[in-house]
Amino acid sequence: MSLFSGISISQEIDLELMLDNDMESEDNVDLLVYLQDLQQHPFNLNTVTIQELQSIPWISAKMARDIISYREKKGDFTSVTGLFKV
């Protein structure tokens, strides 16, 4: 699955399978719908704004600032490894 264009993550997450396996609470269904939309319309980590990052439920304001700061200091992300360094 790639939630961020230009950055691929080798292990794909099957969102439909997650939905079928014990993910029936309303909050989980909302999260899966959000993830499906994000999967279809990924962010480009090299152009994403802090506001767009903060719109992702599991990314805190601090994490969003750290991602942008890392990109400004180190340059464009070329692999998921850079994101893990943040």
Side-chain angles (χ1 to χ4, degrees):
M1 175 175 76
S2 181
L3 302 180
F4 302 103
S5 62
I7 304 293
S8 62
I9 299 173
S10 61
Q11 183 179 12
E12 237 180 79
I13 298 172
D14 187 339
L15 298 175
E16 292 295 326
L17 182 62
M18 287 174 63
L19 186 58
D20 291 340
N21 291 330
D22 301 325
M23 299 288 292
E24 295 183 10
S25 80
E26 189 173 322
D27 289 340
N28 289 338
V29 171
D30 290 345
L31 177 60
L32 288 175
V33 169
Y34 179 83
L35 288 173
Q36 286 173 327
D37 183 61
L38 190 56
Q39 193 173 39
Q40 293 172 2
H41 306 97
F43 290 111
N44 182 331
L45 274 179
N46 296 317
T47 60
V48 69
T49 67
I50 195 164
Q51 293 81 11
E52 289 171 320
L53 285 171
Q54 289 176 335
S55 74
I56 301 172
W58 60 89
I59 295 184
S60 68
K62 181 186 180 326
M63 187 182 296
R65 285 190 308 271
D66 290 348
I67 290 169
I68 299 298
S69 177
Y70 182 92
R71 184 179 72 196
E72 290 171 351
K73 290 177 185 172
K74 302 287 185 176
D76 286 352
F77 288 93
T78 58
S79 72
V80 74
T81 305
L83 185 58
F84 289 138
K85 290 179 181 179
V86 177

